[in-house]
Amino acid sequence: MQFKEIIGQERVKQQLVQTVKENRISHAQLFLSPAGSGAVPLAIAYAQYINCLNKSENDSCGECSSCRKYERLIHPDLHFSYPFFASASVKTAVDVLEEWRAMLMQDPYFDMDIWRSKLDAANKQANINIAECHDII
């Protein structure tokens, strides 16, 4: 995902690009926003820009090997932890990673209802469980 694909948020995009230009990338970033407003695609575009091998002034190139991996959401430095619906066969987020990637590729501005429908979770409560936390650690 490139910054140019993200709707609006020009000021935030400029601030993120500036952190890379000034070599002041924080060890952690929290992207918090209302559902459907673009925090997930913005975070992915930022990670892609950081790792791009041929950055332009304001965006990643979209063509280098790193960018191609980010476009498919398979770059080895791109990790996701997200709410999911635990079951006997689903213990951590990795167990539904392919579904997560497919949903992001189809619509990066999704909300929890869309995610729930992709997993046929009915009215189950999504969460990040203790097994997921241990997996992160």
Side-chain angles (χ1 to χ4, degrees):
M1 172 131 327
Q2 292 181 280
F3 286 127
K4 68 182 180 182
E5 298 172 49
I6 296 171
I7 301 165
Q9 304 196 38
E10 297 307 318
R11 195 175 120 248
V12 176
K13 289 188 265 189
Q14 288 173 349
Q15 288 173 334
L16 293 172
V17 167
Q18 196 62 33
T19 65
V20 176
K21 288 179 182 177
E22 294 174 0
N23 198 27
R24 296 183 57 162
I25 302 167
S26 298
H27 75 283
Q29 294 279 349
L30 178 62
F31 290 79
L32 181 63
S33 71
S37 64
V40 173
L42 190 61
I44 294 168
Y46 184 48
Q48 181 171 324
Y49 183 71
I50 290 169
N51 288 288
C52 179
L53 303 175
N54 301 308
K55 297 174 189 63
S56 69
E57 185 69 17
N58 295 309
D59 213 341
S60 57
C61 72
E63 297 174 3
C64 68
S65 61
S66 177
C67 286
R68 287 194 309 270
K69 290 174 185 169
Y70 270 97
E71 291 296 327
R72 295 188 344 248
L73 305 173
I74 61 168
H75 193 282
D77 292 331
L78 180 64
H79 302 275
F80 294 103
S81 183
Y82 42 85
F84 62 96
F85 311 95
S87 68
S89 62
V90 178
K91 304 287 186 205
T92 64
V94 172
D95 296 332
V96 289
L97 181 58
E98 290 309 312
E99 293 88 344
W100 175 259
R101 285 180 177 149
M103 181 190 61
L104 272 175
M105 301 277 276
Q106 183 180 4
D107 179 14
Y109 294 91
F110 67 94
D111 63 18
M112 199 50 112
D113 291 332
I114 293 170
W115 180 225
R116 183 177 285 109
S117 70
K118 297 287 183 195
L119 298 178
D120 295 323
N123 286 334
K124 286 185 180 177
Q125 179 65 39
N127 64 27
I128 297 175
N129 64 16
I130 192 72
E132 177 69 8
C133 295
H134 287 205
D135 193 48
I136 292 168
I137 292 169

